[in-house]
Amino acid sequence: MLSPVEVELIKALGKGKYHLEEAVEKTGMKKDTILKASYLLQEKGFAEVITELKKKYYLTDEGREYLEKGLPEERLVILLKKGIDEITELQKLMGKREFGIALGWLKKKGVVKVENGKIKLVKEVIFEEKDALKKIAEGEVVDEKILKNLLRRKLVDYEEIKNIYVIIKDVPKIELREYISDLTPEIIKSGEWRGKEFLKYDITIPSKEIFTAKIHPYERIIRECRKIFLEMGFTEIKGNYVQPAFWNFDALFQPQDHPARDMQDTFYLDYYVDLKEEKKRGYIERVKDTHENGWITGSTGWGGKWDLNKAKQLVLRTHTTAITIHYLANNPDPPVKAFCIDRVYRRETIDATHLPEFDQLEGVVMDKNVGFRHLLGLLKEFFAKMGFEDVRFRPGYFPYTEPSVEPEVYVEDLGWIELGGAGIFRKEVTEPLGIKDKVLAWGLGIGRLAMLRLGMKDLRRLYLPDLGWLRELPAIKR
Amino acid sequence: MPVVTLYWNELEKLTGVDRETILSNLPMLGCDIERIEEDHIDVEFFPNRPDLYSVEGVARALRGFLGIEVGYKNYEVNPGKWKIIVDNSVRNLRPRICGCVVRNLKLNDELIRSLMEIQEDLHWTIGRNRRKMAIGVHDLSVLEFPLRYTTVDESFSFVPLDFEEEMSIKDILIKHPKGKEYSFIVEKFDRYPIILDSNGEVVSLPPIINANRTRLTEKTTDVFIDVTGFDKNVDRALNILSTMLADRGGILESVEIIYTDYVETTPDLSPTKMGVDKSEIISLLGFEVSDGDIISALEKMRYGVSIRENYFEVLVPPYRADIMHPWDIIEDIAIGYGYDKIKPDYPKTSTVGKSHEWNEIKDIVKEIMIGLGYMEVITFTLTNEEVQYEKMRRPKLEPWKGFIPVMHPLTGEHTIIRTDILPKLLEVLSVNTHHPLPQRIFEVGDCVVEMKNVLKIAACSTHSRANFAEIRSVVQALMRELDLSWDVKECKDEAFIEGRRAAIFVEEKEVGVFGEVHPEVLENFEIPNPVVGFEIDLSKIFNVGELI
């Protein structure tokens, strides 16, 4: 059985020997296609492909010049015949170089003698070289010996040409039907396709790779998380990256000498804000009292003096909790369900698992009659929606929650993996801001999720994308 | 967070249970097991539980948690004859000192190692790197009481720990390893707090270094502990240390601290009382729990407890540094009850979800750009002025009015937050020159201008025939899809080639720019092919919602 291309080739060419170029002209097929078809036919004994290496001779620049002006030795003989025989004069007329070449060749042929600075022609001479140059220029064949000579004199050069011939040895006795190769608008319009067959393509041959534009794999995970929160009835909130230390730390009952507040871990900005609004709402005074002595929250407080100036300094927020707590202070009436997925900053040296900025997901539920058990319920539901069916809970510690919990999810091949943290906001956090009800809160780093989902070992590639990686990574990772 | 090394032989001996039981229960008490080895485990404890930074403390907690020994553990302190006289001159430098004598110790290698480790951990956590609190442990037999806590000047000299020669304080702060490490705490001092014995011999130079002569040896049986600092953290550290040594069989004796105007006796190992309402317990936990369960949970967590009509009076052990509020105790009730026994319950709170305008606009823009064949990338917002302005041939914005510089950047790469996205995209192209062309990428996201977030979209296309018409088509399509009528004007943005750059105007407001990127910019970013691109400030056009 012949493939459509084989049939097409045989039909177009018929029996005989064809140069590849000739075959292209006759068939209108591409060189590659003809060769492929020919090799297939060769296997079946209907054709043969032969390659001949041929030298194609051409004149060099010098060769072309001599063809025009005559060879130097020829010109010298003409001058000698005119009676000019003084070497010095001949040099002047011909140029030293060409005179040298000419004399050398004439001497070699034994037709001149040099005596007392004069050249004497002693024999008649025939110059076959010029004739040969002319022949070569016209693509004709010349005497082997002269050709060699011209090659040596660098008047002629050659290139090797590969001539490929396709020999159709036999046209098989099968019905060679006419097939339609490309379906064109003309064919559709004329209806000439009716009663004809379409050329069958080899569907197993891969085509050229093309890549789709798509959203970033990391954004896909963020999108999935947002969808879960929205399905669960949460309001999405957003805040500025730059926040006063007050909202990033103080409002969250982080003591002012807490190591996490060190410039070791936090990007501070050399800029202080007045916290006018916070003062007006009474937050400043109450937060100060809570830090120093617990105010009316039932806490002992941290003791010592709380410094307003430290709260005024701006930072690149170290967590999105700076935003959620401010949102709750603005919206203290229950019920509130809010979430935030956004960029946070830590002053960390970059390595495979630590980045100076990354995205954090955070959710809060504020309501009457919710407690720790409901926080666990929320976490279980959230992780189930993320595809983690097995969740377990261990005690945890976060400075602004009590009780605190570290959820762990079970991942095939990896075992129990800690995934984020959660807790109920301390009274020292909520009461100074006028929040009367309990706030269940949880958060996790999207990077960790990305590592689990995308099987990534190095988080850096998320933020300095290698386009090859982005192009190759499937939209759905299974 | 401190990682504590616990040796199996000690841990098993002190708790009285096997490894399996320890391994399965320890995490439920609140810690992360970092490493399990043949002879030890490394455990990371939370910074609020410094009482767990020693094998003795862990064993005490575990015995309670496992029900082997429950309830409040009383520690006896025998009245001692030991006195420390405090000079007024320490008041403005490091005013507070506490002490304790522990007798009858068997100081083997293990205990000395454990003591050194817990000191380091306490220094780091409660002590905030020795600033707020520092500990010294000494061989009691070489000290002549009463001690004096006073100040001296920098020329005062003694033989510091691990040295054989006398050194002046000035030299210690420059040459001694500990002196170098902690000199930052005393750098503004003109006189230095010091503890001397009654012979005038140095005991310690807090918070830097002890004297060499008071060092512990295997022959030491009685020790004196000093803790210096400012506030109740001093007492907390001493309580944790003295109870730990009492658990090792040490007999505690009190030390009298004689200030100019009052006298104090330390350590005070009496419990703190805190009341917790049953209703608050149930409310915070979110489920009904019986009195019996509450009492049992509290006792497992080593509290003393008595109940009076739905009110629990709780005795908080003196070594617990973290109990500030009744909710701290309620958390321990939950831990004692067992997190694994609490049945999760999804809250009934009913609300309607709503996405933020910012992200809705982002999503629409993404959809359009992907439809136009542009691949989404994300980049860091941290960047530097060179990338944002110099390489772009753009004038540098003014700090605060334009970009924000961060203090103490870790690298020259990350000194400011981006005000524009396009330079970040050129960076992406510059590291991807080995991938096939054309490359068309975009990012829609946050920039920070004048300390506020703004939402920008930038895109660029690179290939050998990228030109103005191509990017104009893209901008036209984007604006059409966003239903915006817009206009262009000549612009002076040097990042683009003159005559092939345009400012985008919407309702008379300049909102963006597009054009053919200037070859000098391409050279700066080492991009070998033409690039065309645009950037639009979406927050100037759309309502992007409330930003907190």
Side-chain angles (χ1 to χ4, degrees):
Chain A
M1 177 62 191
L2 302 183
S3 71
V5 273
E6 290 167 77
V7 174
E8 197 186 348
L9 184 73
I10 282 195
K11 255 192 107 175
L13 289 180
K15 217 166 163 177
K17 180 179 176 181
Y18 306 91
H19 191 273
L20 185 57
E21 301 289 349
E22 194 186 352
V24 168
E25 218 166 280
K26 278 194 106 155
T27 60
M29 294 162 79
K30 284 185 178 164
K31 272 188 193 170
D32 286 352
T33 322
I34 293 173
L35 281 176
K36 212 175 115 194
S38 306
Y39 283 120
L40 288 171
L41 288 166
Q42 182 170 298
E43 275 172 30
K44 292 163 190 152
F46 296 126
E48 197 179 335
V49 181
I50 53 172
T51 307
E52 289 173 5
L53 278 177
K54 223 177 163 184
K55 284 179 180 166
K56 190 185 169 190
Y57 295 94
Y58 62 90
L59 302 190
T60 63
D61 289 348
E62 199 179 351
R64 267 199 307 278
E65 194 190 325
Y66 293 167
L67 177 62
E68 225 168 86
K69 301 200 303 198
L71 289 146
E73 60 267 34
E74 203 179 338
R75 284 178 0 236
L76 179 57
V77 169
I78 291 167
L79 289 172
L80 289 174
K81 281 184 174 168
K82 279 184 184 167
I84 306 166
D85 57 0
E86 292 273 350
I87 289 183
T88 44
E89 200 179 345
L90 287 166
Q91 272 180 345
K92 237 183 241 165
L93 283 169
M94 291 187 69
K96 253 190 177 167
R97 185 179 163 269
E98 286 202 357
F99 171 76
I101 296 172
L103 185 61
W105 281 107
L106 292 180
K107 270 184 175 170
K108 206 171 171 194
K109 287 181 187 261
V111 294
V112 290
K113 260 190 189 158
V114 182
E115 276 170 8
N116 306 326
K118 286 182 181 176
I119 300 171
K120 233 186 193 163
L121 199 60
V122 293
K123 231 195 215 171
E124 198 49 49
V125 63
I126 307 161
F127 294 106
E128 290 166 312
E129 284 87 350
K130 193 178 170 188
D131 202 33
L133 284 177
K134 199 176 162 208
K135 278 186 172 167
I136 289 167
E138 283 162 3
E140 286 176 47
V141 186
V142 296
D143 179 67
E144 195 77 9
K145 216 173 124 194
I146 300 172
L147 183 65
K148 243 184 192 166
N149 193 4
L150 292 176
L151 279 169
R152 210 181 308 134
R153 287 183 70 175
K154 296 206 168 87
L155 302 182
V156 171
D157 205 349
Y158 65 89
E159 57 185 357
E160 282 203 321
I161 292 193
K162 214 161 116 182
N163 283 307
I164 301 170
Y165 295 92
V166 175
I167 303 165
I168 305 291
K169 299 202 289 200
D170 196 6
V171 176
K173 299 208 177 349
I174 51 162
E175 194 195 352
L176 296 178
R177 296 187 55 177
E178 198 175 327
Y179 291 96
I180 295 173
S181 57
D182 292 336
L183 182 60
T184 61
E186 289 75 29
I187 294 175
I188 297 169
K189 200 174 169 195
S190 67
E192 73 177 88
W193 55 271
R194 280 177 220 280
K196 289 185 184 166
E197 264 184 57
F198 287 92
L199 203 71
K200 290 190 176 61
Y201 295 149
D202 183 348
I203 55 164
T204 61
I205 299 171
S207 296
K208 185 185 154 208
E209 293 292 343
I210 56 166
F211 297 99
T212 181
K214 57 197 165 188
I215 72 168
H216 194 280
Y218 188 71
E219 289 287 320
R220 206 179 292 282
I221 293 174
I222 289 179
R223 198 173 263 201
E224 188 187 334
C225 295
R226 285 182 65 219
K227 183 166 162 267
I228 292 172
F229 274 116
L230 293 170
E231 281 171 355
M232 288 165 78
F234 282 69
T235 297
E236 185 172 33
I237 61 174
K238 180 167 176 76
N240 288 303
Y241 292 171
V242 177
Q243 292 287 332
F246 178 80
W247 287 109
N248 197 71
F249 295 125
D250 297 286
L252 292 164
F253 198 52
Q254 290 248 34
Q256 292 194 320
D257 63 356
H258 194 278
R261 292 184 70 149
D262 271 1
M263 57 184 197
Q264 300 285 6
D265 304 301
T266 304
F267 282 118
Y268 280 93
L269 308 179
D270 192 13
Y271 201 95
Y272 293 75
V273 290
D274 58 17
L275 297 176
K276 223 187 269 165
E277 185 61 27
E278 287 78 0
K279 236 176 250 165
K280 211 176 86 195
R281 294 199 200 172
Y283 297 161
I284 299 291
E285 207 178 319
R286 299 197 295 255
V287 166
K288 175 183 164 70
D289 285 352
T290 306
H291 275 250
E292 289 181 357
N293 55 43
W295 189 47
I296 57 158
T297 63
S299 171
T300 60
W302 294 111
K305 283 273 162 241
W306 185 81
D307 180 2
L308 174 60
N309 212 39
K310 282 188 178 166
K312 286 179 168 178
Q313 189 168 11
L314 293 182
V315 301
L316 295 183
R317 64 185 187 196
T318 60
H319 45 197
T320 46
T321 321
I323 308 306
T324 42
I325 193 60
H326 199 162
Y327 178 79
L328 290 169
N330 291 347
N331 299 274
D333 298 323
V336 173
K337 280 162 60 172
F339 79 99
C340 181
I341 304 175
D342 217 343
R343 198 65 61 89
V344 297
Y345 299 82
R346 300 278 165 86
R347 193 171 169 276
E348 284 198 88
T349 317
I350 299 189
D351 64 29
T353 55
H354 294 90
L355 302 176
E357 56 180 293
F358 53 95
D359 290 272
Q360 211 176 39
L361 163 163
E362 181 159 324
V364 287
V365 171
M366 174 177 73
D367 201 1
K368 298 180 188 308
N369 307 321
V370 292
F372 191 56
R373 176 188 185 179
H374 305 106
L375 175 64
L376 303 189
L378 266 171
L379 289 168
K380 210 168 153 54
E381 182 64 30
F382 179 80
F383 284 121
K385 277 175 170 281
M386 289 291 314
F388 301 107
E389 291 295 335
D390 287 326
V391 186
R392 71 177 189 189
F393 302 108
R394 290 198 299 112
Y397 170 75
F398 308 99
Y400 41 89
T401 55
E402 197 75 21
S404 306
V405 54
E406 280 181 1
E408 289 183 327
V409 297
Y410 192 79
V411 181
E412 244 348 73
D413 303 329
L414 293 176
W416 289 101
I417 303 279
E418 191 186 316
L419 205 52
I424 299 178
F425 278 164
R426 297 184 71 101
K427 274 198 166 177
E428 293 97 323
V429 174
T430 52
E431 291 210 341
L433 303 174
I435 301 162
K436 302 264 181 330
D437 297 288
K438 286 188 289 296
V439 179
L440 318 180
W442 80 100
L444 60 98
I446 304 281
R448 189 132 174 133
L449 220 50
M451 287 177 110
L452 287 177
R453 276 296 169 79
L454 306 173
M456 291 180 67
K457 297 258 148 49
D458 191 337
L459 284 177
R460 281 171 292 199
R461 78 173 346 169
L462 288 176
Y463 297 92
L464 191 60
D466 177 75
L467 291 182
W469 178 68
L470 284 182
R471 282 170 171 171
E472 302 277 351
L473 192 73
I476 291 180
K477 182 100 164 102
R478 284 150 48 98
Chain B
M1 286 195 265
V3 176
V4 183
T5 300
L6 303 170
Y7 288 87
W8 281 122
N9 57 354
E10 290 182 295
L11 193 55
E12 285 172 316
K13 192 174 72 198
L14 288 166
T15 52
V17 292
D18 62 18
R19 293 180 189 200
E20 278 311 304
T21 314
I22 291 170
L23 281 179
S24 58
N25 282 281
L26 207 46
M28 295 313 287
L29 189 59
C31 66
D32 295 316
I33 295 175
E34 297 275 293
R35 205 172 297 106
I36 303 171
E37 299 285 348
E38 193 39 49
D39 63 333
H40 72 273
I41 44 174
D42 291 331
V43 187
E44 186 177 78
F45 287 100
F46 300 133
N48 64 328
R49 290 298 302 271
D51 57 302
L52 299 179
Y53 296 171
S54 67
V55 67
E56 295 81 5
V58 173
R60 178 175 59 209
L62 257 182
R63 283 166 70 83
F65 193 65
L66 296 168
I68 299 165
E69 178 192 57
V70 296
Y72 180 79
K73 183 169 187 181
N74 196 43
Y75 289 95
E76 289 289 336
V77 183
N78 299 327
K81 55 177 182 176
W82 321 102
K83 289 182 172 56
I84 302 174
I85 299 157
V86 183
D87 188 86
N88 229 348
S89 60
V90 298
R91 186 167 283 178
N92 294 320
L93 300 173
R94 201 171 179 86
R96 192 149 167 66
I97 184 166
C98 287
C100 179
V101 163
V102 188
R103 290 185 180 274
N104 196 34
L105 285 172
K106 288 186 192 69
L107 275 188
N108 52 16
D109 280 348
E110 284 163 2
L111 183 53
I112 291 178
R113 187 180 56 214
S114 183
L115 252 174
M116 289 193 5
E117 274 178 14
I118 191 172
Q119 274 187 73
E120 281 316 302
D121 290 338
L122 292 175
H123 279 151
W124 184 247
T125 52
I126 299 184
R128 305 273 192 263
N129 203 18
R130 298 197 188 183
R131 258 173 300 202
K132 292 185 79 174
M133 182 283 294
I135 303 158
V137 183
H138 315 273
D139 186 338
L140 182 72
S141 65
V142 303
L143 307 179
E144 287 299 327
F145 277 76
L147 307 185
R148 279 190 303 132
Y149 181 41
T150 182
T151 55
V152 291
D153 66 30
E154 63 176 15
S155 63
F156 189 90
S157 57
F158 65 98
V159 183
L161 192 62
D162 297 331
F163 273 64
E164 281 164 11
E165 302 286 316
E166 261 196 16
M167 286 169 92
S168 68
I169 291 175
K170 191 180 174 184
D171 282 347
I172 289 173
L173 294 179
I174 298 167
K175 291 176 188 155
H176 195 284
K178 293 289 171 196
K180 282 192 278 192
E181 200 176 341
Y182 296 104
S183 62
F184 72 96
I185 303 171
V186 297
E187 64 187 355
K188 293 201 176 95
F189 290 8
D190 50 355
R191 290 181 71 76
Y192 298 88
I194 199 156
I195 304 170
L196 305 171
D197 77 0
S198 65
N199 293 335
E201 296 275 4
V202 173
V203 180
S204 175
L205 175 73
I208 313 288
I209 189 80
N210 288 343
N212 195 46
R213 68 187 192 96
T214 73
R215 72 180 310 145
L216 305 184
T217 67
E218 295 225 2
K219 290 188 194 110
T220 308
T221 54
D222 301 341
V223 302
F224 163 70
I225 304 170
D226 80 82
V227 187
T228 57
F230 297 86
D231 50 24
K232 58 191 173 195
N233 288 307
V234 175
D235 306 72
R236 284 180 180 141
L238 183 64
N239 292 357
I240 288 169
L241 274 176
S242 52
T243 53
M244 163 201 166
L245 290 175
D247 281 342
R248 278 273 175 172
I251 295 164
L252 308 181
E253 289 183 9
S254 65
V255 176
E256 230 171 58
I257 315 292
I258 302 164
Y259 293 92
T260 42
D261 41 3
Y262 66 103
V263 175
E264 208 177 20
T265 304
T266 63
D268 176 5
L269 295 184
S270 61
T272 315
K273 283 182 189 163
M274 200 175 256
V276 192
D277 272 321
K278 187 178 179 188
S279 60
E280 190 150 20
I281 298 171
I282 289 168
S283 157
L284 187 60
L285 296 183
F287 60 93
E288 280 291 334
V289 53
S290 70
D291 291 356
D293 280 346
I294 294 172
I295 290 169
S296 142
L298 282 168
E299 288 186 332
K300 275 183 170 183
M301 298 303 283
R302 308 305 313 250
Y303 292 96
V305 57
S306 54
I307 179 169
R308 269 201 336 250
E309 282 178 52
N310 295 327
Y311 179 82
F312 295 86
E313 192 168 271
V314 179
L315 299 182
V316 181
Y319 50 81
R320 286 297 295 266
D322 59 317
I323 306 298
M324 306 174 72
H325 189 278
W327 282 20
D328 293 312
I329 293 174
I330 300 176
E331 178 182 61
D332 272 358
I333 294 173
I335 295 172
Y337 183 84
Y339 275 21
D340 48 345
K341 292 196 193 75
I342 300 172
K343 220 176 130 220
D345 185 20
Y346 189 77
K348 306 286 177 287
T349 307
S350 168
T351 49
V352 176
K354 185 187 172 306
S355 63
H356 197 280
E357 290 88 340
W358 186 284
N359 288 328
E360 286 186 355
I361 291 164
K362 260 176 93 167
D363 276 354
I364 289 165
V365 168
K366 274 186 200 181
E367 185 186 323
I368 299 168
M369 291 312 296
I370 288 160
L372 290 167
Y374 281 70
M375 173 89 84
E376 185 185 26
V377 298
I378 52 175
T379 61
F380 278 139
T381 59
L382 281 164
T383 178
N384 57 72
E385 292 162 62
E386 193 195 349
V387 168
Q388 287 275 301
Y389 313 113
E390 280 166 42
K391 283 186 170 181
M392 294 297 286
R393 309 192 345 138
R394 284 172 170 171
K396 213 160 100 177
L397 297 180
E398 240 182 282
W400 311 117
K401 285 192 178 147
F403 66 86
I404 49 161
V406 302
M407 289 170 84
H408 318 294
L410 276 172
T411 81
E413 295 277 290
H414 295 156
T415 55
I416 68 169
I417 297 286
R418 68 183 181 193
T419 54
D420 301 286
I421 296 176
L422 196 58
K424 303 293 293 183
L425 297 186
L426 293 180
E427 262 186 328
V428 172
L429 293 184
S430 76
V431 299
N432 280 288
T433 52
H434 55 296
H435 289 300
L437 300 176
Q439 293 173 3
R440 296 193 171 95
I441 56 173
F442 80 99
E443 181 175 7
V444 52
D446 299 56
C447 292
V448 176
V449 179
E450 290 176 43
M451 291 175 272
K452 300 283 175 219
N453 283 38
V454 294
L455 180 59
K456 292 193 175 184
I457 156 89
C460 54
S461 164
T462 183
H463 53 99
S464 60
R465 282 197 291 273
N467 64 24
F468 185 82
E470 174 185 343
I471 201 67
R472 201 183 201 286
S473 294
V474 172
V475 173
Q476 283 167 205
L478 176 65
M479 298 310 251
R480 184 173 62 242
E481 293 297 331
L482 293 175
D483 199 19
L484 292 168
S485 51
W486 60 291
D487 216 349
V488 294
K489 284 190 185 149
E490 284 274 326
C491 86
K492 293 204 164 61
D493 190 338
E494 293 292 320
F496 301 96
I497 298 171
E498 195 183 348
R500 301 180 184 189
R501 60 194 182 194
I504 304 170
F505 279 75
V506 172
E507 287 169 4
E508 321 267 293
K509 226 179 343 178
E510 186 171 349
V511 297
V513 64
F514 66 92
E516 284 184 24
V517 176
H518 196 282
E520 192 180 299
V521 175
L522 299 180
E523 221 171 73
N524 293 341
F525 283 97
E526 294 175 30
I527 299 171
N529 279 289
V531 176
V532 291
F534 75 85
E535 177 147 13
I536 296 172
D537 186 342
L538 296 165
S539 38
K540 280 187 179 163
I541 306 173
F542 295 99
N543 166 25
V544 290
E546 187 203 358
L547 283 198
I548 291 164

